């Protein structure tokens, strides 16, 4: 269902929580274009979110980290495609994705195209990293009449992240092995409202609160902005670069980091996306129309296009316990 647009004047005393309950989002105290937004129970104050526990480290743990600076999509590389899930089908996502890394990624990209393309990553990594855009709901977007945007119910102005951190981590139980080139990874559940919930991996937070995650949109205090942390699976079957469901070839470890039988620990990808947003301004992630922009639908995709040398450097960094920055 497409969002209905309203123009409303709100008294200064009316807060965000009041208007969210009515399914509207506004800027208090002045006229604003308001769009239907998620219900108020989809938001939570960050102070109400408990701290996440850290797994204990075993004697063979790979304790290193490897970070890359791939920018924050200042070139506005966006489309409504999903190369991993629906290759060859343009507009299949019915929502807009933000990309960093490989500059060519779209529904028609082949492995050869990705390997030959440029990249926004400072270290030369041509991998593609992407996720649904986030929008502030008190501003009209330029794509209100476009597929993936307003045509699919995703109203609001797209927010460019203030910071994107691409980080690979080791494993708390064992050393890691190299990912194969062109490995596909998916995290999260884009159809969370109509699934059994087992694939939900949404982790919303606020800057300055690195150990607090929730599946609801976070209300952050002044000076802090919303964050999204996308943790990808890291237990590989040792054979395949993809699978029919894009998940069974690489699965998540147990809470203690142990990989299931007949799988191997690979570098664990974490993408952390931060936004600068005034306190009290509502926001929502893009989703399929029927998912109603629910925060639990947050998800991300990755295609590894690192060279063998680049992957070897990454694995050595993690297994030796160093903290590296690609350059």
């Amino acid at each position: 269902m497409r969002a209905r647009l309203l123009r409303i004047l709100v008294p200064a005393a009316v807060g965000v929580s009041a208007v969210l309950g009515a399914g509207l989002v506004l800027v208090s105290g002045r006229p604003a274009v308001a769009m239907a937004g998620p219900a108020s129970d989809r938001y939570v104050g960050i102070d109400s979110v408990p701290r996440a526990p850290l797994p204990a480290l075993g004697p063979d743990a790979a304790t290193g980290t490897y970070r890359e600076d791939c920018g924050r999509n200042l070139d506005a590389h966006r489309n409504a495609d999903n190369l991993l899930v629906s290759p060859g089908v343009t507009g299949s996502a019915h929502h807009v994705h933000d990309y960093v890394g490989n500059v060519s990624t779209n529904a028609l990209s082949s492995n050869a195209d990705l390997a030959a393309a440029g990249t926004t990553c400072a270290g030369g990594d041509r991998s593609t990293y992407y996720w649904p855009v986030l929008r502030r709901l008190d501003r009209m977007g330029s794509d209100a009449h476009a597929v993936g945007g307003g045509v699919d119910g995703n109203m609001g102005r797209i927010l460019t992240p203030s910071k994107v951190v691409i980080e690979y981590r080791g494993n708390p139980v064992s050393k890691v092995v190299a990912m194969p080139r062109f490995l596909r990874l998916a995290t999260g559940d884009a159809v969370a409202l109509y699934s059994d919930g087992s694939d939900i991996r949404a982790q919303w937070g606020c800057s300055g609160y690195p150990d607090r995650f929730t599946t609801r949109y976070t209300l952050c205090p002044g000076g802090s902005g919303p964050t999204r942390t996308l943790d990808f699976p890291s237990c590989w079957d040792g054979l395949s670069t993809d699978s029919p469901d894009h998940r069974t070839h690489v699965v998540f470890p147990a809470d203690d980091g142990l990989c299931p039988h007949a799988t191997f620990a690979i570098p664990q990808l974490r993408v952390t996306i931060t936004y600068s947003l005034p306190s009290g301004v509502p926001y929502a992630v893009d989703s399929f129309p029927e998912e109603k922009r629910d925060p639990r639908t947050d998800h991300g995709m990755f295609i590894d296009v690192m060279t063998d040398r680049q992957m070897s450097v990454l694995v050595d960094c993690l297994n030796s316990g160093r903290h590296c920055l690609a350059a």
Side-chain angles (χ1 to χ4, degrees):
M1 181 181 295
R2 298 181 188 176
R4 181 167 57 96
L5 300 183
L6 301 173
R7 185 173 293 276
I8 298 175
L9 179 63
V10 187
V14 176
V16 171
S17 61
V19 296
L20 283 174
L24 303 174
V25 292
L26 313 147
V27 174
S28 298
R30 66 179 188 271
V33 174
M35 284 145 274
S40 59
D41 66 356
R42 295 294 85 208
Y43 294 79
V44 64
I46 191 64
D47 288 334
S48 300
V49 178
R51 289 179 169 84
L54 294 175
L57 298 177
D60 297 321
T63 58
T65 60
Y66 184 93
R67 286 193 175 190
E68 294 189 88
D69 180 3
C70 295
R72 52 191 180 94
N73 198 20
L74 290 177
D75 295 330
H77 178 190
R78 301 184 179 110
N79 57 48
D81 300 347
N82 193 330
L83 174 61
L84 192 152
V85 175
S86 302
V89 183
T90 59
S92 64
H94 297 282
H95 52 265
V96 179
H97 286 126
D98 255 333
Y99 294 82
V100 300
N102 199 288
V103 300
S104 71
T105 313
N106 60 42
L108 305 179
S109 299
S110 66
N111 286 350
D113 294 331
L114 297 176
T119 180
T120 65
C121 297
D125 173 17
R126 291 183 171 87
S127 299
T128 182
Y129 307 83
Y130 63 102
W131 51 83
V133 299
L134 199 69
R135 299 176 190 256
R136 60 182 296 171
L137 302 184
D138 63 334
R139 298 286 188 272
M140 180 66 74
S142 60
D143 61 348
H145 304 290
V147 171
V151 167
D152 291 303
N154 293 306
M155 304 298 290
R157 181 176 296 174
I158 292 174
L159 290 165
T160 298
S162 58
K163 185 178 182 180
V164 174
V165 175
I166 305 294
E167 182 180 53
Y168 291 88
R169 304 186 299 171
N171 181 282
V173 177
S174 68
K175 304 302 183 186
V176 300
V177 301
M179 295 180 183
R181 201 175 196 202
F182 304 117
L183 180 71
R184 267 74 168 157
L185 298 180
T187 188
D189 189 354
V191 293
L193 266 64
Y194 297 92
S195 69
D196 63 8
S198 61
D199 288 329
I200 293 174
R201 294 283 173 174
Q203 296 185 121
W204 296 90
C206 293
S207 56
Y209 298 81
D211 55 353
R212 300 190 186 200
F213 302 117
T214 174
T215 57
R216 290 192 281 174
Y217 294 125
T218 45
L219 301 175
C220 304
S224 174
T227 66
R228 303 157 68 183
T229 299
L230 303 173
D231 282 337
F232 285 76
S234 57
C235 297
W236 176 46
D237 67 6
L239 300 171
S240 308
T241 57
D242 201 359
S243 51
D245 65 357
H246 313 294
R247 296 177 186 274
T248 52
H249 64 300
V250 186
V251 298
F252 282 91
D255 290 342
D256 63 1
L258 187 66
C259 281
H261 176 69
T263 65
F264 306 88
I266 57 174
Q268 191 266 318
L269 171 61
R270 165 172 281 191
V271 180
T272 304
I273 313 151
T274 303
Y275 300 86
S276 294
L277 195 65
S279 181
V281 172
Y283 59 91
V285 71
D286 268 19
S287 72
F288 290 112
E290 62 273 16
E291 297 296 320
K292 303 176 183 178
R293 310 183 77 174
D294 192 285
R296 292 170 294 180
T297 65
D298 202 14
H299 59 280
M301 307 291 174
F302 164 75
I303 301 174
D304 170 37
V305 196
M306 288 190 191
T307 64
D308 290 345
R309 179 183 177 278
Q310 288 168 334
M311 180 58 64
S312 177
V313 169
L314 188 163
V315 168
D316 181 66
C317 175
L318 301 185
N319 287 338
S320 63
R322 292 179 288 123
H323 301 289
C324 308
L325 178 64

